[in-house]
Amino acid sequence: MRTAGPERLYVVTRGRRDPGGPELDLMTLVEAADTAAPPGAPSEYPRILRLCRRPVAVAEIAAHLGFPVSVVRVLLRDLLAAGLAVARPPASGPAGTTDMETLEQVLVGLRNL
């Protein structure tokens, strides 16, 4: 998959870097609360919302879009702030360890790209 050039990434994020907000690590699961992006929204928003019809890890979203995770985090925080998506940490096992089934599903999803 071809990734976007630096100019395109600058335009997509409107020059913004990580704007702060909720912590979005690679395993954070994002799910669309609404599948329709507002009129005039960048084309990446509907793409992300379609991907997130079911909970999807931030790393998997970045892989599907071919964007760096830092760019995806900016876009996701926009969607979260607009109420179009919700984020939650991955399922945890005992003592806060990450659920191995979730990790395996993310790995399978990334391999299928």
Side-chain angles (χ1 to χ4, degrees):
M1 170 177 277
R2 188 174 159 259
T3 59
E7 299 86 8
R8 173 71 179 135
L9 298 176
Y10 184 84
V11 170
V12 166
T13 61
R14 290 175 273 167
R16 296 173 295 148
R17 295 188 179 180
D18 193 354
E23 180 62 33
L24 297 173
D25 64 27
L26 294 176
M27 295 300 298
T28 298
L29 298 175
V30 179
E31 186 171 12
D34 190 350
T35 56
S43 62
E44 289 74 21
Y45 290 179
R47 288 177 59 198
I48 292 171
L49 294 172
R50 280 192 303 272
L51 284 171
C52 296
R53 287 185 179 135
R54 60 172 179 77
V56 181
V58 171
E60 191 173 349
I61 296 167
H64 277 289
L65 295 176
F67 289 172
V69 173
S70 59
V71 170
V72 171
R73 284 183 179 137
V74 171
L75 299 176
L76 288 174
R77 286 194 175 110
D78 288 348
L79 292 172
L80 294 171
L84 296 172
V86 293
R88 63 179 168 84
S92 295
T97 59
T98 302
D99 179 17
M100 288 306 293
E101 183 178 340
T102 301
L103 289 174
E104 288 173 7
Q105 289 175 354
V106 170
L107 184 59
V108 167
L110 291 172
R111 285 183 181 155
N112 287 336
L113 294 178

